PDB file of all heavy atoms in Angstrom:
ATOM      1  N   ASN A   1       0.870  -1.188  -0.007  1.00 89.00           N
ATOM      2  CA  ASN A   1      -0.021  -0.001   0.006  1.00 89.00           C
ATOM      3  C   ASN A   1       0.889   1.231   0.009  1.00 89.00           C
ATOM      4  O   ASN A   1       1.961   1.193   0.589  1.00 89.00           O
ATOM      5  CB  ASN A   1      -0.914   0.012   1.250  1.00 89.00           C
ATOM      6  CG  ASN A   1      -2.182  -0.721   0.932  1.00 89.00           C
ATOM      7  OD1 ASN A   1      -2.749  -0.734  -0.090  1.00 89.00           O
ATOM      8  ND2 ASN A   1      -2.630  -1.486   2.005  1.00 89.00           N
ATOM      9  N   PRO A   2       0.481   2.322  -0.667  1.00 86.00           N
ATOM     10  CA  PRO A   2       1.374   3.504  -0.744  1.00 86.00           C
ATOM     11  C   PRO A   2       1.630   4.142   0.622  1.00 86.00           C
ATOM     12  O   PRO A   2       0.784   4.200   1.497  1.00 86.00           O
ATOM     13  CB  PRO A   2       0.607   4.472  -1.698  1.00 86.00           C
ATOM     14  CG  PRO A   2      -0.837   3.994  -1.648  1.00 86.00           C
ATOM     15  CD  PRO A   2      -0.767   2.509  -1.352  1.00 86.00           C
ATOM     16  N   ASN A   3       2.826   4.634   0.814  1.00 87.00           N
ATOM     17  CA  ASN A   3       3.182   5.429   2.048  1.00 87.00           C
ATOM     18  C   ASN A   3       2.247   6.582   2.186  1.00 87.00           C
ATOM     19  O   ASN A   3       2.086   7.369   1.211  1.00 87.00           O
ATOM     20  CB  ASN A   3       4.613   5.898   1.978  1.00 87.00           C
ATOM     21  CG  ASN A   3       5.604   4.819   2.196  1.00 87.00           C
ATOM     22  OD1 ASN A   3       5.276   3.780   2.760  1.00 87.00           O
ATOM     23  ND2 ASN A   3       6.828   5.005   1.817  1.00 87.00           N
ATOM     24  N   GLY A   4       1.630   6.736   3.299  1.00 81.00           N
ATOM     25  CA  GLY A   4       0.699   7.860   3.514  1.00 81.00           C
ATOM     26  C   GLY A   4      -0.691   7.519   3.045  1.00 81.00           C
ATOM     27  O   GLY A   4      -1.624   8.310   3.170  1.00 81.00           O
ATOM     28  N   GLY A   5      -0.878   6.306   2.465  1.00 80.00           N
ATOM     29  CA  GLY A   5      -2.231   5.823   2.165  1.00 80.00           C
ATOM     30  C   GLY A   5      -2.675   6.403   0.804  1.00 80.00           C
ATOM     31  O   GLY A   5      -2.043   7.269   0.157  1.00 80.00           O
ATOM     32  N   TRP A   6      -3.909   5.919   0.386  1.00 78.00           N
ATOM     33  CA  TRP A   6      -4.550   6.413  -0.780  1.00 78.00           C
ATOM     34  C   TRP A   6      -5.188   7.785  -0.524  1.00 78.00           C
ATOM     35  O   TRP A   6      -5.261   8.187   0.625  1.00 78.00           O
ATOM     36  CB  TRP A   6      -5.607   5.400  -1.304  1.00 78.00           C
ATOM     37  CG  TRP A   6      -5.089   4.138  -1.699  1.00 78.00           C
ATOM     38  CD1 TRP A   6      -5.123   2.930  -0.869  1.00 78.00           C
ATOM     39  CD2 TRP A   6      -4.423   3.751  -2.883  1.00 78.00           C
ATOM     40  NE1 TRP A   6      -4.511   1.876  -1.581  1.00 78.00           N
ATOM     41  CE2 TRP A   6      -4.066   2.388  -2.795  1.00 78.00           C
ATOM     42  CE3 TRP A   6      -4.093   4.399  -4.066  1.00 78.00           C
ATOM     43  CZ2 TRP A   6      -3.383   1.707  -3.797  1.00 78.00           C
ATOM     44  CZ3 TRP A   6      -3.497   3.790  -5.081  1.00 78.00           C
ATOM     45  CH2 TRP A   6      -3.108   2.431  -4.971  1.00 78.00           C
ATOM     46  N   ARG A   7      -5.753   8.390  -1.545  1.00 76.00           N
ATOM     47  CA  ARG A   7      -6.422   9.638  -1.340  1.00 76.00           C
ATOM     48  C   ARG A   7      -7.745   9.377  -0.547  1.00 76.00           C
ATOM     49  O   ARG A   7      -8.174   8.290  -0.505  1.00 76.00           O
ATOM     50  CB  ARG A   7      -6.737  10.311  -2.692  1.00 76.00           C
ATOM     51  CG  ARG A   7      -5.479  10.848  -3.430  1.00 76.00           C
ATOM     52  CD  ARG A   7      -5.908  11.501  -4.691  1.00 76.00           C
ATOM     53  NE  ARG A   7      -4.818  12.220  -5.248  1.00 76.00           N
ATOM     54  CZ  ARG A   7      -4.984  13.091  -6.263  1.00 76.00           C
ATOM     55  NH1 ARG A   7      -6.206  13.287  -6.765  1.00 76.00           N
ATOM     56  NH2 ARG A   7      -3.983  13.681  -6.865  1.00 76.00           N
ATOM     57  N   THR A   8      -8.375  10.531  -0.050  1.00 71.00           N
ATOM     58  CA  THR A   8      -9.566  10.332   0.771  1.00 71.00           C
ATOM     59  C   THR A   8     -10.664   9.612   0.001  1.00 71.00           C
ATOM     60  O   THR A   8     -11.316   8.777   0.495  1.00 71.00           O
ATOM     61  CB  THR A   8     -10.065  11.720   1.215  1.00 71.00           C
ATOM     62  OG1 THR A   8      -8.927  12.545   1.508  1.00 71.00           O
ATOM     63  CG2 THR A   8     -10.947  11.606   2.406  1.00 71.00           C
ATOM     64  N   ARG A   9     -10.881  10.017  -1.289  1.00 73.00           N
ATOM     65  CA  ARG A   9     -11.890   9.402  -2.142  1.00 73.00           C
ATOM     66  C   ARG A   9     -11.154   8.476  -3.104  1.00 73.00           C
ATOM     67  O   ARG A   9     -10.950   8.875  -4.257  1.00 73.00           O
ATOM     68  CB  ARG A   9     -12.732  10.368  -2.816  1.00 73.00           C
ATOM     69  CG  ARG A   9     -13.530  11.278  -1.872  1.00 73.00           C
ATOM     70  CD  ARG A   9     -14.408  10.614  -0.904  1.00 73.00           C
ATOM     71  NE  ARG A   9     -15.363   9.720  -1.525  1.00 73.00           N
ATOM     72  CZ  ARG A   9     -15.777   8.599  -0.938  1.00 73.00           C
ATOM     73  NH1 ARG A   9     -15.329   8.186   0.227  1.00 73.00           N
ATOM     74  NH2 ARG A   9     -16.644   7.839  -1.622  1.00 73.00           N
ATOM     75  N   LYS A  10     -10.788   7.313  -2.742  1.00 75.00           N
ATOM     76  CA  LYS A  10     -10.023   6.424  -3.610  1.00 75.00           C
ATOM     77  C   LYS A  10     -10.763   6.023  -4.892  1.00 75.00           C
ATOM     78  O   LYS A  10     -10.146   5.945  -5.907  1.00 75.00           O
ATOM     79  CB  LYS A  10      -9.737   5.119  -2.781  1.00 75.00           C
ATOM     80  CG  LYS A  10      -8.909   4.072  -3.510  1.00 75.00           C
ATOM     81  CD  LYS A  10      -8.702   2.896  -2.598  1.00 75.00           C
ATOM     82  CE  LYS A  10      -7.982   1.754  -3.237  1.00 75.00           C
ATOM     83  NZ  LYS A  10      -7.822   0.583  -2.436  1.00 75.00           N
ATOM     84  N   PHE A  11     -12.107   5.880  -4.834  1.00 79.00           N
ATOM     85  CA  PHE A  11     -12.844   5.420  -5.948  1.00 79.00           C
ATOM     86  C   PHE A  11     -13.403   6.518  -6.822  1.00 79.00           C
ATOM     87  O   PHE A  11     -14.429   6.319  -7.564  1.00 79.00           O
ATOM     88  CB  PHE A  11     -13.872   4.422  -5.501  1.00 79.00           C
ATOM     89  CG  PHE A  11     -13.334   3.259  -4.697  1.00 79.00           C
ATOM     90  CD1 PHE A  11     -13.814   2.892  -3.465  1.00 79.00           C
ATOM     91  CD2 PHE A  11     -12.241   2.556  -5.224  1.00 79.00           C
ATOM     92  CE1 PHE A  11     -13.265   1.824  -2.814  1.00 79.00           C
ATOM     93  CE2 PHE A  11     -11.711   1.499  -4.543  1.00 79.00           C
ATOM     94  CZ  PHE A  11     -12.184   1.091  -3.344  1.00 79.00           C
ATOM     95  N   LYS A  12     -12.806   7.728  -6.732  1.00 83.00           N
ATOM     96  CA  LYS A  12     -13.145   8.766  -7.752  1.00 83.00           C
ATOM     97  C   LYS A  12     -11.984   8.770  -8.726  1.00 83.00           C
ATOM     98  O   LYS A  12     -10.907   8.272  -8.444  1.00 83.00           O
ATOM     99  CB  LYS A  12     -13.250  10.108  -7.070  1.00 83.00           C
ATOM    100  CG  LYS A  12     -14.623  10.446  -6.438  1.00 83.00           C
ATOM    101  CD  LYS A  12     -14.626  11.861  -5.957  1.00 83.00           C
ATOM    102  CE  LYS A  12     -16.009  12.287  -5.531  1.00 83.00           C
ATOM    103  NZ  LYS A  12     -16.013  13.675  -5.045  1.00 83.00           N
ATOM    104  N   HIS A  13     -12.198   9.365  -9.827  1.00 85.00           N
ATOM    105  CA  HIS A  13     -11.144   9.472 -10.867  1.00 85.00           C
ATOM    106  C   HIS A  13      -9.996  10.332 -10.315  1.00 85.00           C
ATOM    107  O   HIS A  13     -10.238  11.299  -9.535  1.00 85.00           O
ATOM    108  CB  HIS A  13     -11.645  10.057 -12.170  1.00 85.00           C
ATOM    109  CG  HIS A  13     -10.748   9.808 -13.347  1.00 85.00           C
ATOM    110  ND1 HIS A  13      -9.596  10.476 -13.523  1.00 85.00           N
ATOM    111  CD2 HIS A  13     -10.805   8.906 -14.359  1.00 85.00           C
ATOM    112  CE1 HIS A  13      -8.974  10.023 -14.639  1.00 85.00           C
ATOM    113  NE2 HIS A  13      -9.733   9.070 -15.162  1.00 85.00           N
ATOM    114  N   PHE A  14      -8.796  10.106 -10.769  1.00 85.00           N
ATOM    115  CA  PHE A  14      -7.591  10.857 -10.363  1.00 85.00           C
ATOM    116  C   PHE A  14      -7.800  12.335 -10.484  1.00 85.00           C
ATOM    117  O   PHE A  14      -7.422  13.137  -9.612  1.00 85.00           O
ATOM    118  CB  PHE A  14      -6.357  10.410 -11.075  1.00 85.00           C
ATOM    119  CG  PHE A  14      -5.105  11.006 -10.658  1.00 85.00           C
ATOM    120  CD1 PHE A  14      -4.486  10.703  -9.439  1.00 85.00           C
ATOM    121  CD2 PHE A  14      -4.482  11.971 -11.451  1.00 85.00           C
ATOM    122  CE1 PHE A  14      -3.325  11.324  -8.981  1.00 85.00           C
ATOM    123  CE2 PHE A  14      -3.307  12.638 -11.056  1.00 85.00           C
ATOM    124  CZ  PHE A  14      -2.743  12.235  -9.844  1.00 85.00           C
ATOM    125  N   VAL A  15      -8.343  12.778 -11.615  1.00 81.00           N
ATOM    126  CA  VAL A  15      -8.496  14.194 -11.849  1.00 81.00           C
ATOM    127  C   VAL A  15      -9.628  14.824 -11.006  1.00 81.00           C
ATOM    128  O   VAL A  15      -9.661  16.068 -10.870  1.00 81.00           O
ATOM    129  CB  VAL A  15      -8.855  14.505 -13.378  1.00 81.00           C
ATOM    130  CG1 VAL A  15      -7.707  14.136 -14.243  1.00 81.00           C
ATOM    131  CG2 VAL A  15     -10.156  13.807 -13.822  1.00 81.00           C
ATOM    132  N   GLN A  16     -10.461  13.984 -10.314  1.00 84.00           N
ATOM    133  CA  GLN A  16     -11.507  14.514  -9.476  1.00 84.00           C
ATOM    134  C   GLN A  16     -11.065  14.402  -8.011  1.00 84.00           C
ATOM    135  O   GLN A  16     -11.878  14.551  -7.088  1.00 84.00           O
ATOM    136  CB  GLN A  16     -12.760  13.736  -9.633  1.00 84.00           C
ATOM    137  CG  GLN A  16     -13.376  13.914 -11.055  1.00 84.00           C
ATOM    138  CD  GLN A  16     -14.540  12.976 -11.295  1.00 84.00           C
ATOM    139  OE1 GLN A  16     -14.572  11.800 -10.851  1.00 84.00           O
ATOM    140  NE2 GLN A  16     -15.585  13.422 -11.993  1.00 84.00           N
ATOM    141  N   GLY A  17      -9.757  14.129  -7.752  1.00 82.00           N
ATOM    142  CA  GLY A  17      -9.247  14.015  -6.424  1.00 82.00           C
ATOM    143  C   GLY A  17      -9.262  12.652  -5.849  1.00 82.00           C
ATOM    144  O   GLY A  17      -9.017  12.382  -4.684  1.00 82.00           O
ATOM    145  N   GLY A  18      -9.537  11.610  -6.784  1.00 82.00           N
ATOM    146  CA  GLY A  18      -9.503  10.196  -6.338  1.00 82.00           C
ATOM    147  C   GLY A  18      -8.219   9.520  -6.745  1.00 82.00           C
ATOM    148  O   GLY A  18      -7.164  10.161  -6.868  1.00 82.00           O
ATOM    149  N   ASP A  19      -8.349   8.203  -7.016  1.00 83.00           N
ATOM    150  CA  ASP A  19      -7.097   7.477  -7.373  1.00 83.00           C
ATOM    151  C   ASP A  19      -7.183   6.674  -8.652  1.00 83.00           C
ATOM    152  O   ASP A  19      -6.154   6.424  -9.232  1.00 83.00           O
ATOM    153  CB  ASP A  19      -6.766   6.473  -6.209  1.00 83.00           C
ATOM    154  CG  ASP A  19      -5.889   7.160  -5.184  1.00 83.00           C
ATOM    155  OD1 ASP A  19      -4.775   7.678  -5.547  1.00 83.00           O
ATOM    156  OD2 ASP A  19      -6.266   7.205  -4.013  1.00 83.00           O
ATOM    157  N   PHE A  20      -8.404   6.298  -9.177  1.00 86.00           N
ATOM    158  CA  PHE A  20      -8.375   5.415 -10.296  1.00 86.00           C
ATOM    159  C   PHE A  20      -8.228   6.158 -11.573  1.00 86.00           C
ATOM    160  O   PHE A  20      -8.301   7.400 -11.625  1.00 86.00           O
ATOM    161  CB  PHE A  20      -9.634   4.504 -10.279  1.00 86.00           C
ATOM    162  CG  PHE A  20     -10.954   5.163 -10.720  1.00 86.00           C
ATOM    163  CD1 PHE A  20     -11.141   5.481 -12.099  1.00 86.00           C
ATOM    164  CD2 PHE A  20     -11.939   5.422  -9.880  1.00 86.00           C
ATOM    165  CE1 PHE A  20     -12.320   6.094 -12.571  1.00 86.00           C
ATOM    166  CE2 PHE A  20     -13.132   6.063 -10.312  1.00 86.00           C
ATOM    167  CZ  PHE A  20     -13.292   6.371 -11.653  1.00 86.00           C
ATOM    168  N   GLY A  21      -7.950   5.467 -12.661  1.00 86.00           N
ATOM    169  CA  GLY A  21      -7.728   6.134 -14.029  1.00 86.00           C
ATOM    170  C   GLY A  21      -6.354   6.439 -14.381  1.00 86.00           C
ATOM    171  O   GLY A  21      -5.407   6.097 -13.664  1.00 86.00           O
ATOM    172  N   ASP A  22      -6.279   7.187 -15.463  1.00 87.00           N
ATOM    173  CA  ASP A  22      -4.946   7.566 -15.973  1.00 87.00           C
ATOM    174  C   ASP A  22      -4.386   8.680 -15.250  1.00 87.00           C
ATOM    175  O   ASP A  22      -5.037   9.748 -15.100  1.00 87.00           O
ATOM    176  CB  ASP A  22      -5.188   7.989 -17.497  1.00 87.00           C
ATOM    177  CG  ASP A  22      -3.798   8.219 -18.171  1.00 87.00           C
ATOM    178  OD1 ASP A  22      -2.785   8.049 -17.568  1.00 87.00           O
ATOM    179  OD2 ASP A  22      -3.862   8.581 -19.389  1.00 87.00           O
ATOM    180  N   ARG A  23      -3.174   8.528 -14.715  1.00 87.00           N
ATOM    181  CA  ARG A  23      -2.519   9.602 -13.943  1.00 87.00           C
ATOM    182  C   ARG A  23      -1.183  10.020 -14.662  1.00 87.00           C
ATOM    183  O   ARG A  23      -0.400  10.710 -14.103  1.00 87.00           O
ATOM    184  CB  ARG A  23      -2.289   9.239 -12.485  1.00 87.00           C
ATOM    185  CG  ARG A  23      -1.553   7.919 -12.240  1.00 87.00           C
ATOM    186  CD  ARG A  23      -1.238   7.694 -10.758  1.00 87.00           C
ATOM    187  NE  ARG A  23      -2.411   7.395 -10.045  1.00 87.00           N
ATOM    188  CZ  ARG A  23      -2.562   7.635  -8.729  1.00 87.00           C
ATOM    189  NH1 ARG A  23      -1.578   8.155  -8.049  1.00 87.00           N
ATOM    190  NH2 ARG A  23      -3.655   7.325  -8.060  1.00 87.00           N
ATOM    191  N   GLU A  24      -0.998   9.572 -15.857  1.00 86.00           N
ATOM    192  CA  GLU A  24       0.105  10.008 -16.743  1.00 86.00           C
ATOM    193  C   GLU A  24       1.452   9.878 -15.985  1.00 86.00           C
ATOM    194  O   GLU A  24       1.783   8.830 -15.423  1.00 86.00           O
ATOM    195  CB  GLU A  24      -0.120  11.385 -17.286  1.00 86.00           C
ATOM    196  CG  GLU A  24      -1.329  11.383 -18.217  1.00 86.00           C
ATOM    197  CD  GLU A  24      -1.730  12.778 -18.692  1.00 86.00           C
ATOM    198  OE1 GLU A  24      -1.087  13.816 -18.308  1.00 86.00           O
ATOM    199  OE2 GLU A  24      -2.676  12.915 -19.456  1.00 86.00           O
ATOM    200  N   ALA A  25       2.260  10.941 -15.912  1.00 86.00           N
ATOM    201  CA  ALA A  25       3.547  10.876 -15.332  1.00 86.00           C
ATOM    202  C   ALA A  25       3.485  10.745 -13.761  1.00 86.00           C
ATOM    203  O   ALA A  25       4.520  10.351 -13.119  1.00 86.00           O
ATOM    204  CB  ALA A  25       4.414  12.072 -15.652  1.00 86.00           C
ATOM    205  N   ASN A  26       2.319  11.035 -13.189  1.00 89.00           N
ATOM    206  CA  ASN A  26       2.248  10.870 -11.706  1.00 89.00           C
ATOM    207  C   ASN A  26       2.242   9.477 -11.234  1.00 89.00           C
ATOM    208  O   ASN A  26       2.321   9.208 -10.009  1.00 89.00           O
ATOM    209  CB  ASN A  26       0.852  11.602 -11.266  1.00 89.00           C
ATOM    210  CG  ASN A  26       0.920  13.030 -11.348  1.00 89.00           C
ATOM    211  OD1 ASN A  26       1.808  13.716 -10.876  1.00 89.00           O
ATOM    212  ND2 ASN A  26       0.004  13.701 -12.092  1.00 89.00           N
ATOM    213  N   ILE A  27       2.226   8.546 -12.112  1.00 90.00           N
ATOM    214  CA  ILE A  27       2.389   7.108 -11.768  1.00 90.00           C
ATOM    215  C   ILE A  27       3.735   6.877 -11.150  1.00 90.00           C
ATOM    216  O   ILE A  27       3.849   6.026 -10.280  1.00 90.00           O
ATOM    217  CB  ILE A  27       2.139   6.152 -12.985  1.00 90.00           C
ATOM    218  CG1 ILE A  27       1.979   4.664 -12.530  1.00 90.00           C
ATOM    219  CG2 ILE A  27       3.364   6.213 -13.968  1.00 90.00           C
ATOM    220  CD1 ILE A  27       0.663   4.375 -11.879  1.00 90.00           C
ATOM    221  N   ASN A  28       4.732   7.653 -11.518  1.00 90.00           N
ATOM    222  CA  ASN A  28       6.114   7.456 -10.980  1.00 90.00           C
ATOM    223  C   ASN A  28       6.167   7.749  -9.506  1.00 90.00           C
ATOM    224  O   ASN A  28       6.787   7.111  -8.735  1.00 90.00           O
ATOM    225  CB  ASN A  28       7.113   8.409 -11.768  1.00 90.00           C
ATOM    226  CG  ASN A  28       7.212   7.963 -13.197  1.00 90.00           C
ATOM    227  OD1 ASN A  28       7.457   6.795 -13.524  1.00 90.00           O
ATOM    228  ND2 ASN A  28       6.919   8.935 -14.085  1.00 90.00           N
ATOM    229  N   LYS A  29       5.353   8.826  -9.027  1.00 90.00           N
ATOM    230  CA  LYS A  29       5.287   9.201  -7.643  1.00 90.00           C
ATOM    231  C   LYS A  29       4.630   8.001  -6.861  1.00 90.00           C
ATOM    232  O   LYS A  29       5.087   7.602  -5.786  1.00 90.00           O
ATOM    233  CB  LYS A  29       4.498  10.413  -7.480  1.00 90.00           C
ATOM    234  CG  LYS A  29       4.541  10.986  -6.032  1.00 90.00           C
ATOM    235  CD  LYS A  29       3.672  12.238  -5.955  1.00 90.00           C
ATOM    236  CE  LYS A  29       3.595  12.668  -4.463  1.00 90.00           C
ATOM    237  NZ  LYS A  29       2.616  13.790  -4.252  1.00 90.00           N
ATOM    238  N   LEU A  30       3.578   7.436  -7.491  1.00 89.00           N
ATOM    239  CA  LEU A  30       2.874   6.315  -6.799  1.00 89.00           C
ATOM    240  C   LEU A  30       3.789   5.126  -6.676  1.00 89.00           C
ATOM    241  O   LEU A  30       3.766   4.429  -5.655  1.00 89.00           O
ATOM    242  CB  LEU A  30       1.586   5.982  -7.568  1.00 89.00           C
ATOM    243  CG  LEU A  30       0.728   4.891  -6.965  1.00 89.00           C
ATOM    244  CD1 LEU A  30       0.051   5.412  -5.706  1.00 89.00           C
ATOM    245  CD2 LEU A  30      -0.323   4.379  -7.923  1.00 89.00           C
ATOM    246  N   VAL A  31       4.576   4.870  -7.753  1.00 89.00           N
ATOM    247  CA  VAL A  31       5.498   3.685  -7.701  1.00 89.00           C
ATOM    248  C   VAL A  31       6.500   3.851  -6.572  1.00 89.00           C
ATOM    249  O   VAL A  31       6.762   2.911  -5.844  1.00 89.00           O
ATOM    250  CB  VAL A  31       6.197   3.546  -9.075  1.00 89.00           C
ATOM    251  CG1 VAL A  31       7.384   2.571  -8.969  1.00 89.00           C
ATOM    252  CG2 VAL A  31       5.247   3.042 -10.138  1.00 89.00           C
ATOM    253  N   ARG A  32       7.057   5.041  -6.369  1.00 90.00           N
ATOM    254  CA  ARG A  32       7.974   5.339  -5.296  1.00 90.00           C
ATOM    255  C   ARG A  32       7.282   5.019  -3.986  1.00 90.00           C
ATOM    256  O   ARG A  32       7.916   4.467  -3.047  1.00 90.00           O
ATOM    257  CB  ARG A  32       8.410   6.777  -5.276  1.00 90.00           C
ATOM    258  CG  ARG A  32       8.991   7.362  -6.460  1.00 90.00           C
ATOM    259  CD  ARG A  32      10.472   7.138  -6.590  1.00 90.00           C
ATOM    260  NE  ARG A  32      10.884   7.695  -7.884  1.00 90.00           N
ATOM    261  CZ  ARG A  32      10.605   7.158  -9.082  1.00 90.00           C
ATOM    262  NH1 ARG A  32       9.970   6.080  -9.153  1.00 90.00           N
ATOM    263  NH2 ARG A  32      11.038   7.783 -10.204  1.00 90.00           N
ATOM    264  N   GLN A  33       6.024   5.400  -3.753  1.00 89.00           N
ATOM    265  CA  GLN A  33       5.295   5.195  -2.550  1.00 89.00           C
ATOM    266  C   GLN A  33       5.029   3.678  -2.266  1.00 89.00           C
ATOM    267  O   GLN A  33       4.930   3.232  -1.170  1.00 89.00           O
ATOM    268  CB  GLN A  33       3.964   5.972  -2.559  1.00 89.00           C
ATOM    269  CG  GLN A  33       4.154   7.453  -2.398  1.00 89.00           C
ATOM    270  CD  GLN A  33       2.896   8.204  -2.570  1.00 89.00           C
ATOM    271  OE1 GLN A  33       2.078   7.990  -3.470  1.00 89.00           O
ATOM    272  NE2 GLN A  33       2.543   9.070  -1.602  1.00 89.00           N
ATOM    273  N   MET A  34       4.721   2.969  -3.380  1.00 87.00           N
ATOM    274  CA  MET A  34       4.357   1.563  -3.230  1.00 87.00           C
ATOM    275  C   MET A  34       5.497   0.523  -3.275  1.00 87.00           C
ATOM    276  O   MET A  34       5.319  -0.581  -2.926  1.00 87.00           O
ATOM    277  CB  MET A  34       3.287   1.184  -4.305  1.00 87.00           C
ATOM    278  CG  MET A  34       2.045   1.990  -4.238  1.00 87.00           C
ATOM    279  SD  MET A  34       0.861   1.481  -5.537  1.00 87.00           S
ATOM    280  CE  MET A  34       0.089   0.050  -4.828  1.00 87.00           C
ATOM    281  N   ASN A  35       6.635   0.995  -3.823  1.00 81.00           N
ATOM    282  CA  ASN A  35       7.745   0.009  -3.999  1.00 81.00           C
ATOM    283  C   ASN A  35       8.497  -0.235  -2.734  1.00 81.00           C
ATOM    284  O   ASN A  35       8.672   0.625  -1.913  1.00 81.00           O
ATOM    285  CB  ASN A  35       8.740   0.595  -5.054  1.00 81.00           C
ATOM    286  CG  ASN A  35       9.584  -0.478  -5.631  1.00 81.00           C
ATOM    287  OD1 ASN A  35       9.446  -1.691  -5.228  1.00 81.00           O
ATOM    288  ND2 ASN A  35      10.388  -0.123  -6.601  1.00 81.00           N
TER     289      ASN A  35
END
């Protein structure tokens, strides 16, 4: 699980403040948190 946890609304789209969907280059930040 990512350091600091998922966003408050995990099941909203990334652009709406959630986590799912295409996050383009921001996936690299998530990989650092989850690796």
